Amino acid sequence: MGIKRFAAINTKVRALESHLLKKKDYDYLLELSTLSDMIAYLKKQTDYGPYLQEVEENTVSIDMLEVIFKRAMFQRMKGMIHFFTDEYKKLLRTMFMRYEIEDLKLLVRALIRHESLEIILEHLVILDINRGLDYEKLQRVTSLEALLEALEGTPYRKLLEYYMNEPPQKRIFYMEMNLDRYYFKTLNEHVEKLSSEDRGPLREMLGKNTDILNLQWIYRGRKFYGLSAEELLNYTLLGGYALKYKHLKTLCYASSMEEALQYIREGPYGFLVEKQDFEIFLELNMERYIYDEFMKMKKANRMNIIESMVYVHQLEYEMRDLFTIFEAKRYGFDRTQTLQYLVRIRKA
């Protein structure tokens, strides 16, 4: 894409980064005792203010805030697309496809579990970047069959309909995994079309993310869904960085959960399961690892696509941490307790 082209987008990204919350913002938020006080601070003292102008601090719910903040996040991200062309623009659009998939997962879970769709529909992001989903149709579905009809003409229909006859719980697991496999397959295909200087670091980062997801899925599949070794292996993602097919096969065919965990402990991701209470913090530690890897990669790469990719993830993790703080206040957690669950800020 060329250094000159990246000079423009990286200047834009650095400007956007300056609007991310600072440590002083986290420190202040952690000291506040109510959700309304936090919203008042974010409205008056941060760049979230314009998105919160119509929000009444005393009546707003966390669910309502989630929608507002997600849409604010995507408005920031959408502004980046115009700086890219060709395969780079396709890559960024593919990254946004993940949020379409997350919307679909919400619908699939609710429909299979026969839950009310009212709250789910309010939480759809409706990014409308790829124009792949007809959200008007999606908001009218009342069954999984109707969802498939609404997905006619998109690649998502075939990904879901194959599992329609599976038992409900396994159906959710299979459908979610198949959607994720499709996303990472598509993302990998676009990465391979980039210039060599961008392809290398993105391959590494995507590979490490793939490793983490495979570990998470194998653990969940064995512990909560009772999937067979063959089923587990069939649904792992290809293209990992440290965990190749032979490693995944060993994990899937381990005779017991303890044997699988011991194999993980002896590998490059052993730190994830080394503590007795690892299960409580497993997902958090995985997120922290990916965030830290992105920040290391940013330091090692200048004037290429990495700065843009890192910014997107910084923004995502900021959203995640904000809602962790909101929830912590709901349950009466103090500052020290809350810091245990944050990704970006972890020290007092």
Side-chain angles (χ1 to χ4, degrees):
M1 208 176 152
I3 290 178
K4 288 184 179 179
R5 189 57 175 274
F6 277 119
I9 181 58
N10 287 347
T11 298
K12 171 70 173 178
V13 166
R14 287 163 197 161
L16 289 170
E17 282 181 327
S18 70
H19 298 296
L20 292 170
L21 295 181
K22 311 295 188 294
K23 185 176 185 299
K24 66 179 180 64
D25 296 312
Y26 280 93
D27 288 339
Y28 198 91
L29 290 167
L30 287 165
E31 294 300 328
L32 296 174
S33 57
T34 68
L35 179 62
S36 59
D37 287 340
M38 286 188 282
I39 297 308
Y41 177 80
L42 290 168
K43 184 186 289 188
K44 296 172 185 176
Q45 302 296 331
T46 74
D47 284 273
Y48 288 101
Y51 305 103
L52 296 169
Q53 287 310 305
E54 305 302 318
V55 172
E56 295 290 337
E57 289 98 330
N58 296 321
T59 59
V60 69
S61 67
I62 292 179
D63 288 339
M64 185 190 304
L65 286 171
E66 185 175 359
V67 177
I68 293 171
F69 276 62
K70 278 185 177 180
R71 289 175 182 168
M73 176 176 71
F74 296 129
Q75 285 304 313
R76 294 187 193 182
M77 291 180 179
K78 282 173 73 173
M80 296 169 58
I81 288 181
H82 307 296
F83 286 83
F84 293 95
T85 59
D86 305 325
E87 293 301 329
Y88 289 84
K89 179 171 283 190
K90 291 177 184 177
L91 175 68
L92 202 62
R93 287 185 179 278
T94 300
M95 289 181 64
F96 287 125
M97 187 176 74
R98 180 158 62 92
Y99 304 104
E100 287 186 346
I101 286 175
E102 291 304 318
D103 281 348
L104 285 178
K105 286 181 182 179
L106 287 174
L107 287 170
V108 165
R109 288 178 212 143
L111 291 168
I112 290 177
R113 294 169 179 166
H114 303 291
E115 297 171 349
S116 170
L117 291 182
E118 184 176 352
I119 295 177
I120 299 295
L121 293 174
E122 290 176 355
H123 282 71
L124 298 183
V125 175
I126 315 182
L127 185 59
D128 195 29
I129 285 288
N130 294 307
R131 299 182 177 87
L133 299 182
D134 186 333
Y135 277 93
E136 288 188 12
K137 288 183 179 178
L138 290 180
Q139 292 183 41
R140 295 196 298 268
V141 301
T142 56
S143 67
L144 205 53
E145 290 76 12
L147 176 62
L148 292 182
E149 289 182 19
L151 294 174
E152 184 65 45
T154 75
Y156 302 126
R157 174 167 180 147
K158 286 186 177 180
L159 295 172
L160 298 179
E161 67 182 353
Y162 186 79
Y163 302 103
M164 286 295 288
N165 295 322
E166 295 290 341
Q169 278 306 105
K170 281 194 174 184
R171 194 186 310 160
I172 293 174
F173 186 74
Y174 287 144
M175 286 181 171
E176 289 189 0
M177 289 184 75
N178 214 26
L179 286 168
D180 285 333
R181 279 167 61 89
Y182 173 73
Y183 168 71
F184 277 94
K185 177 178 177 291
T186 307
L187 195 60
N188 270 304
E189 288 172 353
H190 286 297
V191 167
E192 291 305 311
K193 295 176 182 178
L194 304 182
S195 65
S196 58
E197 62 266 27
D198 294 316
R199 193 164 59 240
L202 279 181
R203 269 181 185 164
E204 178 181 341
M205 199 63 246
L206 192 54
K208 289 178 177 178
N209 204 352
T210 297
D211 286 344
I212 291 299
L213 286 172
N214 278 332
L215 289 176
Q216 189 177 54
W217 286 343
I218 291 170
Y219 183 80
R220 286 174 60 206
R222 292 189 69 128
K223 186 168 179 86
F224 301 113
Y225 295 96
L227 300 181
S228 68
E230 291 82 1
E231 289 174 307
L232 287 172
L233 189 58
N234 283 341
Y235 286 92
T236 53
L237 297 168
L238 300 178
Y241 180 74
L243 301 180
K244 305 304 181 184
Y245 181 81
K246 65 177 182 179
H247 302 112
L248 298 174
K249 186 174 182 180
T250 299
L251 273 174
C252 293
Y253 280 86
S255 60
S256 65
M257 179 62 78
E258 185 51 45
E259 183 181 320
L261 289 173
Q262 185 57 37
Y263 186 73
I264 295 173
R265 291 187 186 106
E266 294 169 356
Y269 302 106
F271 63 92
L272 292 171
V273 296
E274 62 187 1
K275 295 182 179 179
Q276 288 295 319
D277 61 350
F278 77 87
E279 190 173 289
I280 299 172
F281 296 100
L282 183 59
E283 187 171 344
L284 171 64
N285 287 333
M286 288 177 168
E287 290 177 329
R288 285 178 168 179
Y289 168 75
I290 293 298
Y291 178 79
D292 290 345
E293 288 299 305
F294 267 114
M295 298 313 291
K296 288 178 190 175
M297 191 160 285
K298 180 183 176 183
K299 290 180 180 179
N301 292 270
R302 295 289 178 183
M303 302 313 293
N304 63 13
I305 198 173
I306 292 300
E307 287 202 53
S308 301
M309 300 299 103
V310 171
Y311 170 71
V312 169
H313 286 80
Q314 283 180 295
L315 191 53
E316 287 180 341
Y317 285 121
E318 180 169 288
M319 294 286 104
R320 180 224 178 272
D321 280 351
L322 273 176
F323 282 94
T324 297
I325 296 173
F326 293 161
E327 288 290 349
K329 297 302 178 184
R330 174 189 284 180
Y331 293 105
F333 284 17
D334 62 24
R335 176 192 180 88
T336 302
Q337 289 173 303
T338 305
L339 280 168
Q340 293 182 78
Y341 297 93
L342 302 184
V343 173
R344 285 192 63 207
I345 305 294
R346 305 170 204 174
K347 295 180 181 179

